Amino acid sequence: MDIKAVLRNVRNRGLKWTWGAFVGKRDFEKIKSDYSKYYIDRPFLNMNEEEKAVFFKEMSSFEKDLKKRSPHIYDEYLKDMKREYVKKLIPAAYAAAAKSSIDDKVIFMEMGKNPSPSNHHISNVMKSEGKYDVHMTSLNIRSVSYLEFYENALGFIKDMATAKAVFLSTANDLMSHIDVRPETKVIQLWHGVGIFKKVGYSTIKSKQFGMSQKTREEYDQYKNYSYVTIAASEQSWIFEEAMNIDKDSGIIVPVGVAKTDVFYDHGYIKNAKQKLLAAFPQIGDRKIILYAPTFRGEVENAQAPDKLDVEAMAKALGDEYILLIKHHGLSKNIPPLPAEIKDSFAYDMNKTKTLNIEQLLAISDICITDYSSIAFEFAIMERPLIFFAYDLEEYIDERGLYYNYDEITPGPVCKTTEEMIDYISNIDSVFDRQRVIDFKTKHVNACDGHSTERTIALIEQ
């Protein structure tokens, strides 16, 4: 490691990481020889289920310890494992399994632990219709060791090789070195209804979030899609750029986003409100403000924003409103609520898990967000939106946005809690419904309550 490289790493990644890299260069080969046998020889294949569970639990502890002690060696360990699975084991497993004929089955795959709203909604509809055998597969990334995650992925790939269709809701590079057979439709639902913040290939030049062009092409996270479903044709250019998809490919289809169908279901909305009041009867007939921001920082260390003055809101608005707070699922260090207003004015919906985000959106009278795609969802119901963008310039510099934020947002952009309190206090006279309707017409016009049926129809096209 030359002096220029050392200084560059100190500047970009910090002294601790650089020291780990310097020491790790000497030690990695030994660690690699000690632990690479786990993902090359795969000794767990000969274990019973109980032994395997213990083994993977130990691997999870090992990975956490390695990451803490030597981030550089940890990075190299993961790169080596990824190369073994994604470039060798997964393509070989797919090729072998694809020799069998296609079954009348569809697979809903989640990278994480729980089903995404669209996967959950469409899978339930398809189960009730009974036309296909429906498989739900969760790979549990970040909940288990990476070794177990890749083994889960291997199982998914084998199942996928004989599937009629596969539904995804997030990017992944597991299929980057296989060619999916033409009989299988791979349908990317995406997890957001629209996109403010840059993702995928759009972040290549980002200081904090971007992978290099070389890395993105080596492990292409958007390869093999048959279709990408979006909320409106207006968003096509964003997904073309983010996923590096040719605009004339026919892959990006504005059929709507399945999870938004629930916003047209009056029974769903009524049940969600009853569920909230059953859990918190003290809410009474007060109106609901939902605060649902996105996270800050990188995915691996996502942080919850903490600039909202909840006490000031309680003092000014508590007689007429209650506040439901739902942070992004990846967020860590969620700010605690002051004891005197907890579960009287403000409610931590991450902790209680009483309602999911779609249910919360469906019953809320006002939504406060920032750069989250839930703004697109909430606009479907033509209710007031407020954008708490206290760090707008910093966020644009670090992450980047697809639109001019001040121009696209269909509601006030606020830097302080006081501005939001003033707007809400005068909501009847200042809310411009037509502004939200115009936003809805342009950005989510395909979300009309029939997105699910159009999405399912793609399987046979």
Side-chain angles (χ1 to χ4, degrees), residues 79 83 89 120 180 184 276-277 366 370 452:
K79 287 178 184 177
R83 193 177 302 115
L89 294 176
H120 178 73
V180 176
T184 300
L276 179 72
L277 291 176
I366 300 170
D370 43 24
T452 299

Side-chain angles (χ1 to χ4, degrees), residues 375-387:
F376 294 86
E377 292 181 64
F378 196 72
I380 293 171
M381 293 170 286
E382 301 176 8
R383 299 172 190 162
L385 275 156
I386 302 172
F387 296 86

Side-chain angles (χ1 to χ4, degrees), residues 4 15 38 48 97 129 139 166-167 193 197 261 281 290 306 317 326 333 342 367 376 388 407 427 457:
K4 289 183 179 179
L15 182 60
Y38 291 140
N48 61 39
E129 291 177 344
L139 306 188
V166 176
F167 288 91
V193 175
K197 54 194 176 187
D261 286 355
L290 172 65
D306 61 354
L317 304 170
K326 178 68 172 179
N333 300 323
K342 182 178 180 294
C367 178
F376 294 86
F388 187 29
E407 291 179 3
I427 195 84

